[in-house]
């Protein structure tokens, strides 16, 4: 094997977003585009001697080609070993699990998460550090700085590695170990949850459907839910990962997971439904004709953690992203533990978990997880719910309603306006920024504005400060509206409007969230001049 240096010129658009660099496939296919980014990662982390790298992706279009390039670059950059999932497949949580289990210097995950795939779809790449979590901002900023100056990259001249057969392959001084992508992850799940009671539930007639959306979780769900827990094989649908996700949009929400939604809202519906996304870190939880918001899911898992073997010793604390509802805060208060409010992005939870300050974390964007790894974890959330359902022997809807009766209901919804021109989205945000003072104290019907700000966060562990994390319009009764631009889209801009109010009255808990939030919805549209500035009246996605 010969390692060589290739002269390159920088691209100026390689700034990582909320979770790594995400672009359309044709952009990644430009000459040296992928190589520049990978070399910038390696230069930033200054590969320590005898380092191992974990490598894998969600199987989307361009996954295999990118893996071969990265293996050749890893060999030329002095890695001792690369552990790659068979077929180039690793879910994001499984990659995090492997980084931690084998104490590697980190990992590279190839995924654009819930974004569509295929030759014209999206691709993505992100670096996770040795704790198994997404690189924090100071590292992603250093990677971006390196990208803007890169002049050369190193790559080995070697044949492609056989990715479909398990085993070790020697390439010059580096070993490529092709591993089973599921095994270590499945073992970790078995160590956390009461598999015996879940198995009893699943063989007793309790019916489940898991929608893998033709994305990475198919093999994981089959091994865990069917092989290890005894669910019937047809409990997992869309189980074969496809490079274009079967033409679908692998985002587990009520709009895009329509196969599952039709089943769970249809006749003779199963008792429990769940879906995961492209790379397996998101989850949507459904009961018979019933949707659990991700914010409620986090709160309910926290309140019931004592039923789950892996969490019976108690929770150190809970963390949620700022736009996530405060339902979890109420549980934390009742448990006498702290609740942290961070900016959007799983990377902000890493320090809190490493410092032992929190055990459970969650985000409104269908992400839930714990300190078992440093990523959100779709199947983990499914197993947590199944463990809880097995222990409580009640329907999912009853569990949620009892939770609301005890803690009150944080009525919540997110409205997404996708693919709007960037200038229009920026003008909405600018208008809102300019209205902080004039909005203060203004009365809208029964609601009065208490405070407006742009959320900023000081990490309690390392003191780093992140500003500009979302505009908050807070009302005196605790209701709020949050405006934020998504950091994961690749087409125009996505404006997210998060709406929340608190309803203590059990008599009103049955009301539809959109109905309960209608006043906030119209205030949001009025103060943002949404229609005038974006031409939109209705959101593209409501969750
Ligand atoms: C990523 C991050 C999440 C974040 C989500 C939404 O998820 O890991 O922490 O909540 O994006 O971000 P945004 O609102 O900026 O689009 P994923 O599943 O896409 O990796």
């Amino acid at each position: 094997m010969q390692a060589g240096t290739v002269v390159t010129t920088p691209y100026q658009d390689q700034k990582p977003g909320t979770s790594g660099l995400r672009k359309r496939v044709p952009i990644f296919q430009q000459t040296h585009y992928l190589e520049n980014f990978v070399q910038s990662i390696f230069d930033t982390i200054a590969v320590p001697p005898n380092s191992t790298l974990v490598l894998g992706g969600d199987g989307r279009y361009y996954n295999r080609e990118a893996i071969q390039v990265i293996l050749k670059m890893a060999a030329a950059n002095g890695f001792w070993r690369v552990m790659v999932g068979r077929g180039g497949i690793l879910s994001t949580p499984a990659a995090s699990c492997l980084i931690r289990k084998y104490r590697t210097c980190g990992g590279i995950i190839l995924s654009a998460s819930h974004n569509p795939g295929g030759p014209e779809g999206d691709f993505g790449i992100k670096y996770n550090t040795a704790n198994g979590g997404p690189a924090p901002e100071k590292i992603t900023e250093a990677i971006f700085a390196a990208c803007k100056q890169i002049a050369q990259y190193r790559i080995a001249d070697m044949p492609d590695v056989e990715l479909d057969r398990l085993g070790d392959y020697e390439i010059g001084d580096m070993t490529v170990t092709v591993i089973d992508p599921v095994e270590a992850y499945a073992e970790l799940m078995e160590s956390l949850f009461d598999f015996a009671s879940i198995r009893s539930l699943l063989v007793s007639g309790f019916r489940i459907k898991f929608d893998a959306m033709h994305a990475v979780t198919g093999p994981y769900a089959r091994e865990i839910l069917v092989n290890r827990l005894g669910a019937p094989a047809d409990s997992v649908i869309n189980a074969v990962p496809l490079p274009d996700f079967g033409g679908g949009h692998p985002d587990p929400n009520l709009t895009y997971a329509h196969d599952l939604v039709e089943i769970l809202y249809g006749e003779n519906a199963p008792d429990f439904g769940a879906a995961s996304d492209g790379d397996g870190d998101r989850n949507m939880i459904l009961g018979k004709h019933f949707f659990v918001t991700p914010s409620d899911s986090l709160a309910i898992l926290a309140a019931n953690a004592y039923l789950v073997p892996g969490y019976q010793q108690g929770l150190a604390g809970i963390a949620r992203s700022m736009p996530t509802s405060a339902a979890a805060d109420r549980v934390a208060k009742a448990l006498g533990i702290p609740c942290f409010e961070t900016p959007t992005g799983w990377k902000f939870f890493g320090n809190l978990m490493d410092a032992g300050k929190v055990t459970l974390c969650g985000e409104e964007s269908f992400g839930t997880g714990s300190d078992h790894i440093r990523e959100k974890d779709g199947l983990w959330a499914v197993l947590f719910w199944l463990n809880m359902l097995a222990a409580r022997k009640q329907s999912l809807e009853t569990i949620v309603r009892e939770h609301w009766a005890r803690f009150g209901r944080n009525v919540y919804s997110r409205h997404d306006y996708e693919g709007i021109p960037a200038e229009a989205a920026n003008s909405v945000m600018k208008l809102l920024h300019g209205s902080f003072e004039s909005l203060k104290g203004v009365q809208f019907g029964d609601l009065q504005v208490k405070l407006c700000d742009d959320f900023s966060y000081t990490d309690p562990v390392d003191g780093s400060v992140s500003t500009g994390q979302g505009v908050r319009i807070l009302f005196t009764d605790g209701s709020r509206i949050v405006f934020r631009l998504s950091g994961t889209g690749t087409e125009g801009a996505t404006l997210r409007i998060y709406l929340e109010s608190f309803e203590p009255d059990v008599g009103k808990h049955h009301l539809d969230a959109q109905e309960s939030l209608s006043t906030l919805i119209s205030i949001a549209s009025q103060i943002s001049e949404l229609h005038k500035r974006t031409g939109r009246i209705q959101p593209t996605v409501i969750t």
Side-chain angles (χ1 to χ4, degrees):
M1 179 205 84
Q2 280 215 314
T5 298
V6 177
V7 172
T8 185
T9 47
Y11 289 90
Q12 298 301 324
D13 65 344
Q14 296 193 307
K15 185 174 169 53
T18 309
S19 185
L21 181 68
R22 290 184 191 169
K23 299 279 177 195
R24 307 261 319 275
V25 167
I27 292 187
F28 266 102
Q29 287 170 326
Q30 296 174 96
T31 313
H32 307 326
Y33 193 88
L34 172 70
E35 291 85 344
N36 282 9
F37 193 75
V38 173
Q39 187 64 53
S40 300
I41 295 174
F42 292 161
D43 289 345
T44 301
I45 63 173
V47 183
N50 300 323
S51 290
T52 298
L53 183 75
V54 168
L55 177 62
D58 62 12
R60 66 179 58 227
Y61 187 86
Y62 202 52
N63 193 57
R64 278 180 176 265
E65 292 87 335
I67 285 197
Q68 296 294 353
V69 169
I70 297 167
L71 287 173
K72 290 173 184 149
M73 292 186 66
N77 277 275
F79 277 92
W80 174 68
R81 181 188 292 272
V82 177
M83 301 178 77
V84 56
R86 184 180 47 223
I89 294 286
L90 279 181
S91 75
T92 290
S96 183
C97 160
L98 290 167
I99 294 169
R100 294 173 69 75
K101 177 169 177 171
Y102 294 103
R103 299 174 193 277
T104 76
C105 83
I108 289 183
I109 303 174
L110 304 173
S111 172
S113 186
H114 53 289
N115 297 5
E120 296 301 321
D122 287 346
F123 189 73
I125 174 167
K126 69 170 174 170
Y127 172 67
N128 278 31
T129 52
N131 73 348
E137 271 183 342
K138 62 176 187 303
I139 296 184
T140 55
E141 278 160 14
I143 294 171
F144 182 43
C147 286
K148 286 191 288 189
Q149 293 183 357
I150 191 164
Q152 56 185 42
Y153 63 84
R154 288 185 288 288
I155 190 158
D157 183 12
M158 64 185 218
D160 282 358
V161 175
E162 165 66 83
L163 292 177
D164 295 312
R165 222 161 5 101
L166 300 181
D168 281 350
Y169 300 87
E170 305 301 328
I171 289 152
D173 293 337
M174 186 178 90
T175 304
V176 176
T177 305
V178 179
I179 49 161
D180 182 314
V182 179
E183 202 176 312
Y185 176 79
E187 272 167 20
L188 178 60
M189 293 302 109
E190 211 154 350
S191 75
L192 294 172
F193 298 106
D194 183 350
F195 270 37
S197 356
I198 301 175
R199 199 177 299 112
S200 308
L201 177 77
L202 296 182
V203 297
S204 72
F206 184 94
R207 287 158 55 226
I208 67 168
K209 273 291 178 228
F210 177 84
D211 188 351
M213 303 190 84
H214 286 304
V216 80
T217 43
Y220 293 86
R222 272 200 175 137
E223 172 61 21
I224 295 171
L225 299 176
V226 179
N227 298 349
R228 298 195 185 205
L229 288 169
D234 67 358
S235 306
V236 182
I237 58 171
N238 300 322
V240 179
L242 298 173
D244 66 348
F245 308 118
H249 193 143
D251 196 357
N253 60 40
L254 292 172
T255 305
Y256 294 124
H258 38 77
D259 288 356
L260 181 76
V261 172
E262 271 166 34
I263 296 170
L264 267 292
Y265 281 83
E267 273 178 36
N268 192 24
D271 303 286
F272 176 83
S276 192
D277 68 331
D279 61 331
D281 57 2
R282 296 185 174 206
N283 73 90
M284 174 172 72
I285 302 293
L286 299 172
K288 222 177 249 200
H289 301 195
F290 196 84
F291 166 67
V292 186
T293 69
S295 297
D296 278 342
S297 181
L298 172 66
I300 294 167
L301 298 190
N304 289 278
Y306 69 95
L307 297 169
V308 175
Y311 303 92
Q312 260 157 3
Q313 73 283 16
L315 307 176
I318 306 173
R320 63 164 173 88
S321 65
M322 178 275 284
T324 304
S325 95
D329 304 40
R330 298 177 194 283
V331 177
K333 194 166 173 217
L335 294 173
I337 57 175
C339 189
F340 296 85
E341 185 179 39
T342 65
T344 294
W346 206 262
K347 59 191 172 206
F348 292 102
F349 296 140
N351 274 352
L352 297 171
M353 289 191 271
D354 286 349
K357 289 181 180 295
V358 302
T359 310
L360 295 192
C361 306
E363 294 187 279
E364 50 64 42
S365 55
F366 295 84
T368 342
S370 85
D371 60 358
H372 66 292
I373 53 171
R374 293 294 182 272
E375 286 278 5
K376 56 190 188 275
D377 190 343
L379 270 166
W380 170 91
V382 172
L383 292 167
F384 206 125
W385 269 95
L386 289 174
N387 197 145
M388 190 163 76
L389 286 157
R392 288 191 48 169
K393 300 184 174 39
Q394 291 166 301
S395 76
L396 180 143
E397 181 171 346
T398 305
I399 290 177
V400 177
R401 291 199 184 282
E402 284 191 359
H403 183 91
W404 289 342
R406 178 174 168 207
F407 293 95
R409 178 180 177 192
N410 284 71
V411 186
Y412 187 85
S413 183
R414 184 178 100 185
H415 289 196
D416 292 342
Y417 294 82
E418 297 172 311
I420 52 182
E423 313 80 71
N426 290 334
S427 95
V428 167
M429 295 308 282
K430 199 166 163 213
L431 170 73
L432 291 166
H433 274 119
S435 313
F436 287 176
E437 280 311 309
S438 58
L439 278 174
K440 208 167 152 189
V442 173
Q443 194 80 33
F444 293 92
D446 293 342
L447 294 174
Q448 189 185 29
V449 178
K450 181 179 162 198
L451 179 84
C452 308
D453 68 2
D454 197 343
F455 181 65
S456 74
Y457 175 68
T458 303
D459 185 302
V461 180
D462 66 13
S464 57
V465 178
S466 303
T467 55
Q469 298 293 329
V471 165
R472 303 191 294 182
I473 315 292
L474 308 174
F475 295 87
T476 49
D477 73 342
S479 304
R480 62 178 190 157
I481 305 171
V482 175
F483 295 86
R484 230 190 110 246
L485 296 183
S486 159
T488 57
T490 56
E491 207 64 34
T494 294
L495 174 67
R496 303 202 196 282
I497 305 181
Y498 310 82
L499 306 136
E500 178 179 0
S501 67
F502 181 62
E503 181 53 78
D505 181 356
V506 180
K508 293 186 181 159
H509 286 171
H510 65 283
L511 293 176
D512 175 62
Q514 302 309 314
E515 198 182 320
S516 305
L517 295 168
S518 59
T519 308
L520 283 179
I521 294 169
S522 64
I523 297 172
S525 127
Q526 187 187 330
I527 63 177
S528 63
E529 297 183 0
L530 194 67
H531 185 212
K532 180 176 147 201
R533 286 169 193 263
T534 68
R536 302 286 183 86
I537 301 177
Q538 290 298 330
T540 35
V541 176
I542 295 181
T543 51

